[in-house]
Amino acid sequence: MRQSLIVANWKMNGSIQNNQSLLNSFKQNLASVQHADVAVCPSFVYLQQVSDLLKGTVMTWGGQDLSQQNNGAFTGEVSANMLRDFGCKYVIVGHSERRCLYGESDQLVADKFAKAQSAGLIPILCVGELLEQREAGETENVVKRQLAAVINLQGLASLGNSVIAYEPVWAIGTGKTATPQEAQDVHAFIRRQVGEVAEKLQILYGGSVKGSNAAELFAMPDIDGGLIGGASLKADDFLTICQAAR
Ligand code: PEP
């Protein structure tokens, strides 16, 4: 049995005050989350605050991105070791907003994945197709290409120490969710691509997961939890999602 995992991606949202009330309210109900590990990925500037609020709980935290470089003259960048300094367990790599808005290539995402692992972080590798790619029947090719960049650089076994998030780009922040069967089909496809690590690899679904649709998504056999954007900013919604994990 794979352990379920629910990851909050706060994106560029939050404030000192809101983060505190959100996490305090969530923590009060943490005991009701019985079947999932829960992690929070805030903006870098709030990592210290989030680690202070979550230390001593079963919750963990991570970064939303990292540099492919170790250190040096890279203004604005954040390294894997810096994330480690703040107690991060995870780091998201290749989120579609990074790929689409900031032009991150498959190769750059693979380099970031490698850097995360070499620092002892668990990369959460996001993959997923655009709407036009889905409509053109290209979903599996796109996901396969995104996975191949990492496999070619790091080897298949490296995926055993990572998490994959399947996030159809057309479902992120749009209110349109993949149906449980559409998501399941791609999750099963991903699992078939990863050979010997298939059984242990956690594959999360992301894309407009809400309290009202989480249970049916998480009931699918190859969906091991979720990467949650908008709904992770509301304590009640996020709690309902975490409680829906199997
Ligand atoms: C995400 O950003 O990873 C995401 C899934 O966002 P949302 O839940 O808002 O669609």
Side-chain angles (χ1 to χ4, degrees):
M1 263 301 267
R2 291 176 297 273
Q3 172 70 7
S4 291
L5 173 65
I6 310 290
V7 180
N9 175 13
W10 286 357
K11 312 192 188 192
M12 198 175 72
N13 293 295
S15 67
I16 289 177
Q17 206 178 339
N18 285 351
N19 302 346
Q20 186 166 353
S21 62
L22 175 60
L23 289 181
N24 281 340
S25 136
F26 187 81
K27 278 194 309 186
Q28 278 168 13
N29 297 294
L30 194 53
S32 68
V33 178
Q34 291 181 346
H35 303 295
D37 292 335
V38 182
V40 176
C41 296
S43 164
F44 296 130
V45 295
Y46 296 126
L47 277 170
Q48 182 65 56
Q49 183 198 19
V50 166
S51 77
D52 289 343
L53 286 163
L54 297 185
K55 235 174 254 162
T57 74
V58 293
M59 292 174 69
T60 55
W61 54 94
Q64 295 177 10
D65 186 26
L66 82 166
S67 171
Q68 75 278 24
Q69 309 288 350
N70 286 329
N71 60 273
F74 302 103
T75 302
E77 293 290 273
V78 170
S79 74
N81 284 336
M82 292 172 184
L83 295 177
R84 286 290 303 209
D85 253 357
F86 285 84
C88 289
K89 177 172 182 180
Y90 297 103
V91 61
I92 298 170
V93 296
H95 189 280
S96 67
E97 286 152 14
R98 301 296 320 169
R99 292 179 190 263
C100 299
L101 302 177
Y102 299 96
E104 292 197 4
S105 64
D106 292 339
Q107 189 54 52
L108 177 60
V109 171
D111 289 341
K112 290 184 174 194
F113 180 102
K115 196 57 70 178
Q117 284 194 328
S118 69
L121 294 162
I122 299 175
I124 299 172
L125 172 66
C126 298
V127 296
E129 80 288 0
L130 303 168
L131 182 59
E132 54 267 35
Q133 291 168 328
R134 172 160 282 262
E135 287 173 346
E138 286 295 310
T139 298
E140 292 188 353
N141 285 343
V142 170
V143 168
K144 194 172 178 174
R145 190 201 70 222
Q146 291 169 333
L147 289 174
V150 170
I151 294 168
N152 291 341
L153 183 70
Q154 286 292 87
L156 197 56
S158 71
L159 291 176
N161 197 24
S162 77
V163 174
I164 290 183
Y166 168 59
E167 300 206 301
V169 181
W170 47 272
I172 297 180
T174 58
K176 285 186 207 149
T177 319
T179 65
Q181 193 57 54
E182 283 172 333
Q184 164 59 26
D185 288 346
V186 182
H187 282 234
F189 172 76
I190 292 170
R191 216 174 283 291
R192 288 197 298 276
Q193 302 305 303
V194 299
E196 76 247 27
V197 301
E199 276 315 303
K200 69 182 266 213
L201 179 65
Q202 290 167 310
I203 307 177
L204 314 184
Y205 170 77
S208 298
V209 178
K210 309 182 261 282
S212 56
N213 60 19
E216 54 178 6
L217 286 160
F218 299 161
M220 303 311 280
D222 287 296
I223 299 183
D224 304 317
L227 179 55
I228 317 297
S232 71
L233 299 169
K234 292 171 224 130
D236 287 356
D237 279 3
F238 191 54
L239 184 66
T240 308
I241 291 168
C242 293
Q243 289 167 336
R246 296 171 291 133

